[in-house]
């Protein structure tokens, strides 16, 4: 069915990754025009800078998929523009002429580790997950200019989700790889470590973790192995929930056996001990679980000597000025949890609202929310009428000196006037030119970094 509402709308999408590309493509296939604003060179978000680089197959498949979705005649891609910094949200909403703005900007702010004064050790003895993974995924690139991180033996990872398992696993691989090379002169690539596991690699090189004098890293979690959110239950039944718990426990054990780190359950970090300005130990509160709730007992604490803490306790959306937040979370307008508070025409999808979940869930969230947005807000035209009423007089003036004429045109034709469209396209082209962007496929080819070979 031809959807005539598409001639009315020009849509801004912030973030081009899993949920953003899904949304952009769904809108574009229905004839809506979409401008995608992406803060990085590449629109791959957590696929490029989150998923550790041994996931070669998954990364390449998802990135190809994002490309196939964004490389569409109704989509214009603007790289290297961060909304909230390079363009204010207010400017985007008021001065461009978009009828709808959709946030698909994910969750890129590490949740703060709740330990007093811990921030002064950031980058030295305290590392947060997002910067760790950016370093890990890109450090082999010849023009890498980011932080230089060295994983220290006996480092402690605080966390409990799948991402924290990736973090402690990458830490152990890095550590053993470095020591094996330094002490035995043997280089083993990360793919072999990842595939075979540390004990097998060391055995085939006639050595062991003890022989290399590596004490190993430690994962600290506030609940038990069974409580780790490593496997989602199929449904809400007690049997499915118990099954998922058992799978989580088994999965953790598999990681422990294969990557030789240690695990401290039922422990919450509460303080740190420093010596001469460096981290000496992490202080933990022992807890118990009663009826699913965490219970603490005063004074029941212990400490672990460690030179490094890696915090992997989750990511939150980065706050953008002009939007409202409920604590750390984007404040939403209604129960459906996809329309942003304070605006009728601003929506949010993917990790930006869910804050968690995997690729499939982010894709599904993008898809389901866009279906709703099209059905409830774009097709029926309520947003267009509102856009019309609020159409900024300054914007009209830029388009045509005769504001009255332009208003009359829109009211009669019920479509966006050419002048408003030209304004959007001109601003888009200016930003693309500034970034050096011409064609999507050429840009991707030029900007995709060197990949490590999986031998
Ligand atoms: C360590 C780790 C391991 C993971 N492993 C897996 C796995 O094995 N399997 C799996 O299914 N999932 C995994 N995930 C989860 C998965 O990567 C995410 O769920 C998914 O990528 C989220 O997609 P998204 O589009 O919502 O957000 P993102 O991928 O975060 O995309 C947001 C996009 O918005 C852009 N952006 C942000 N702010 C702005 C701004 N202000 N202006 C312009 N652009 C902006 C970003 O650059 C990015 O491109 C993992 C995540 C992590 C961190």
């Amino acid at each position: 069915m031809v959807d005539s509402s598409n001639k009315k709308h020009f849509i801004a999408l912030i973030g081009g990754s899993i949920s953003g590309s899904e949304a952009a493509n769904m809108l574009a296939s229905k004839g809506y025009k979409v401008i995608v604003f992406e803060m990085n060179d590449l629109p791959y978000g957590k696929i490029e800078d989150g998923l550790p680089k041994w996931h070669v197959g998954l990364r390449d498949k998802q990135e190809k998929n994002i490309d196939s979705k964004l490389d569409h005649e109704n989509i214009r891609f603007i790289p290297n523009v961060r909304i909230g910094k390079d363009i204010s949200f207010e400017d985007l909403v008021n001065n461009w002429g978009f009828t709808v703005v959709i946030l698909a900007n994910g969750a890129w702010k590490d949740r703060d580790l709740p330990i007093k004064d811990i921030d002064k050790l950031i980058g030295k003895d305290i590392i947060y997950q997002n910067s760790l993974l950016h370093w890990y995924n890109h450090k082999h690139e010849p023009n890498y200019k980011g932080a230089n991180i060295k994983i220290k033996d006996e480092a402690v990872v605080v966390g409990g989700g799948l991402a924290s398992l990736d973090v402690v696993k990458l830490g152990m691989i890095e550590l053993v790889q470095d020591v094996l090379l330094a002490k035995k002169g043997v280089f083993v690539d990360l793919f072999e470590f990842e595939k075979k596991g540390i004990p097998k690699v060391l055995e085939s090189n006639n050595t062991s973790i003890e022989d290399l004098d590596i004490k190993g890293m430690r994962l600290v979690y506030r609940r038990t192995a069974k409580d780790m959110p490593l496997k989602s239950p199929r449904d809400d039944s007690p049997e499915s929930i118990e099954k998922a718990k058992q799978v989580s426990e088994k999965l953790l054990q598999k990681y422990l056996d294969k990557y030789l780190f240690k695990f401290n359950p039922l422990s919450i970090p509460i303080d740190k001990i420093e010596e001469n300005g460096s981290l000496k130990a992490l202080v933990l509160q022992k807890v118990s679980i009663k009826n699913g709730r965490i219970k603490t007992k005063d004074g029941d604490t212990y400490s672990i000597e460690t030179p490094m803490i890696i915090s992997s306790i989750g990511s939150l959306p980065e706050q953008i000025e002009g939007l409202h937040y409920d604590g750390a979370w984007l404040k939403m307008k209604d129960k459906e949890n996809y329309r942003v508070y304070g605006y009728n025409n601003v929506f949010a999808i993917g990790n930006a609202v869910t804050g968690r979940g995997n690729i499939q869930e982010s894709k599904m969230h993008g898809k389901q929310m866009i279906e709703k947005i099209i059905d409830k807000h774009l097709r029926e035209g309520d947003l267009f009428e509102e856009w019309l009423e609020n159409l900024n007089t300054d914007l009209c003036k830029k388009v045509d000196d005769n504001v009255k004429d332009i208003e009359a045109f829109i009211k009669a034709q019920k479509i966006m006037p050419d002048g408003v469209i030209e304004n959007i396209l001109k601003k888009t082209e200016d930003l693309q030119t500034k970034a050096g962007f011409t064609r999507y496929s050429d840009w991707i080819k030029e900007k995709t970094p060197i990949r490590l070979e999986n031998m």
Side-chain angles (χ1 to χ4, degrees):
M1 191 179 75
V2 178
D3 187 350
S4 60
S5 67
N6 57 26
K7 292 214 175 68
K8 294 176 178 176
H9 293 285
F10 228 105
I11 297 166
L13 227 150
I14 306 173
S17 182
I18 294 289
S19 58
S21 61
E22 185 72 25
N25 191 267
M26 281 176 74
L27 291 162
S29 328
K30 295 235 180 286
Y32 297 101
K33 303 282 192 291
V34 186
I35 308 287
V36 175
F37 296 86
E38 169 55 53
M39 67 178 181
N40 292 325
D41 278 343
L42 297 169
Y44 304 143
K46 288 260 154 102
I47 302 302
E48 183 71 22
D49 295 334
L51 215 58
K53 63 189 173 194
W54 58 74
H55 286 289
V56 174
L58 182 63
R59 177 198 66 204
D60 290 352
K61 183 173 159 221
Q62 293 302 331
E63 294 190 352
K64 236 190 214 151
N65 196 258
I66 290 173
D67 292 342
S68 71
K69 295 206 157 138
L70 291 183
D71 199 3
H72 189 290
E73 59 176 354
N74 288 336
I75 299 175
R76 282 178 173 72
F77 178 70
I78 310 180
N80 291 324
V81 170
R82 190 187 194 119
I83 302 300
K85 184 169 167 267
D86 304 308
I87 296 179
S88 72
F89 190 71
E90 198 202 339
D91 182 22
L92 189 75
V93 170
N94 293 330
N95 300 329
W96 278 66
F98 291 115
T99 45
V100 172
V101 174
I102 299 172
L103 293 147
N105 55 324
W108 285 88
K109 185 189 176 306
D110 286 287
R111 198 186 282 271
D112 288 335
L113 194 59
I115 295 179
K116 197 166 164 255
D117 286 343
I118 198 89
D119 284 2
K120 67 178 183 193
L121 299 174
I122 288 179
K124 187 173 163 264
D125 304 334
I126 303 288
I127 312 287
Y128 278 96
Q129 179 190 294
N130 280 309
S131 36
L132 179 85
L133 277 149
H134 186 272
W135 161 79
Y136 185 70
N137 281 3
H138 298 287
K139 69 187 168 94
H140 65 273
E141 294 163 16
N143 52 358
Y144 173 74
K145 290 190 189 74
N148 199 2
I149 297 171
K150 179 137 185 71
I151 303 289
K152 297 179 191 165
D153 195 8
E154 296 184 273
V156 169
V157 175
V158 183
L162 269 173
S164 68
L165 289 191
D166 271 345
V167 164
V168 69
K169 169 176 163 181
L170 84 78
M172 281 303 296
I173 292 177
E174 276 287 304
L175 192 60
V176 177
Q177 197 180 32
D178 279 0
V179 178
L180 187 62
L181 183 63
K183 290 199 172 164
K184 306 277 175 187
V186 176
F187 174 77
V188 177
D189 77 47
L190 78 98
F191 299 106
E192 195 170 333
F193 271 114
E194 201 276 323
K195 200 165 139 208
K196 294 185 178 159
I198 291 171
K200 281 204 178 126
V201 170
L202 295 185
E203 203 184 306
S204 61
N205 285 287
N206 301 317
T207 184
S208 67
I209 198 100
E210 294 80 19
D211 182 33
L212 293 176
D213 198 21
I214 296 174
K215 298 191 180 63
M217 292 168 70
R218 190 178 291 273
L219 177 64
V220 162
Y221 180 47
R222 62 200 162 113
R223 292 174 176 268
T224 68
K226 275 186 150 189
D227 301 316
M228 284 186 153
L230 306 179
K231 170 85 187 148
S232 308
R234 275 219 335 234
D235 51 52
D236 289 342
S237 67
E239 297 75 36
S240 296
I241 293 171
E242 181 52 29
K243 186 114 195 273
K245 280 176 179 282
Q246 284 172 12
V247 174
S248 292
E249 194 177 31
K250 270 198 191 139
L251 196 63
L252 173 68
Q253 192 55 53
K254 211 169 134 194
Y255 271 75
L256 287 164
D257 294 343
K258 217 170 156 187
Y259 303 107
L260 302 182
F261 58 93
K262 301 176 186 89
F263 178 56
N264 285 37
L266 299 169
S267 303
I268 298 180
I270 51 168
D271 205 354
K272 57 162 180 12
I273 298 169
E274 278 176 70
E275 201 174 79
N276 302 325
S278 294
L279 182 70
K280 178 91 184 5
L282 177 64
V283 182
L284 299 122
Q285 166 80 55
K286 269 195 196 167
V287 301
S288 56
I289 308 283
K290 212 165 181 194
N291 299 327
R293 313 198 98 183
I294 295 177
K295 299 266 171 211
T296 57
K297 210 168 92 193
D298 274 355
D300 205 358
T301 62
Y302 69 106
S303 62
I304 305 170
E305 280 206 18
T306 178
M308 180 180 225
I309 298 170
I310 304 176
S311 181
S312 178
I313 55 173
S315 293
L316 303 166
E318 279 187 332
Q319 303 209 348
I320 296 177
E321 207 184 313
L323 289 165
H324 301 265
Y325 292 84
D326 247 343
W329 296 101
L330 204 51
K331 189 166 176 184
M332 305 307 281
K333 199 178 166 79
D334 40 35
K335 288 193 283 314
E336 290 111 327
N337 210 21
Y338 68 107
R339 189 144 47 160
V340 169
Y341 179 85
Y343 302 90
N344 277 339
N345 63 339
V346 180
F347 302 86
I349 58 172
N351 274 189
V353 242
T354 61
R356 59 190 298 263
N358 56 29
I359 296 170
Q360 219 36 44
E361 285 165 357
S362 297
K363 220 175 263 184
M364 273 311 284
H365 192 260
K367 193 168 171 335
Q368 288 165 352
M369 295 307 120
I370 293 301
E371 273 164 6
K372 274 194 194 177
I373 293 168
I374 292 177
D375 281 351
K376 288 177 104 174
H377 305 286
L378 300 183
R379 220 171 252 152
E380 285 175 11
D382 59 336
L383 285 181
F384 188 72
E385 298 300 328
E386 195 173 311
W387 175 80
L388 196 57
E389 264 171 39
N390 294 332
L391 191 61
N392 181 330
T393 329
D394 287 346
L395 177 64
C396 289
K397 268 194 203 136
K398 268 184 222 148
V399 171
D400 196 317
D401 281 344
N402 195 337
V403 177
K404 289 246 160 346
D405 275 4
I406 196 165
E407 282 178 356
F409 171 86
I410 303 168
K411 280 193 178 130
Q413 303 290 322
K414 299 272 183 215
I415 57 170
M416 241 191 204
D418 286 348
V420 175
I421 294 173
E422 277 158 22
N423 178 54
I424 295 175
L425 292 178
K426 170 85 176 56
K427 279 169 172 273
T428 301
E429 275 163 26
D430 286 351
L431 289 171
Q432 286 176 326
T433 308
K434 197 170 156 207
F437 176 96
T438 44
R439 244 172 48 152
Y440 185 84
S441 53
D442 295 343
W443 177 263
I444 294 296
K445 213 187 254 172
E446 185 193 329
K447 297 294 173 184
T448 300
I450 284 179
R451 304 301 193 189
L452 280 185
E453 288 291 319
N454 185 358
M455 289 175 276

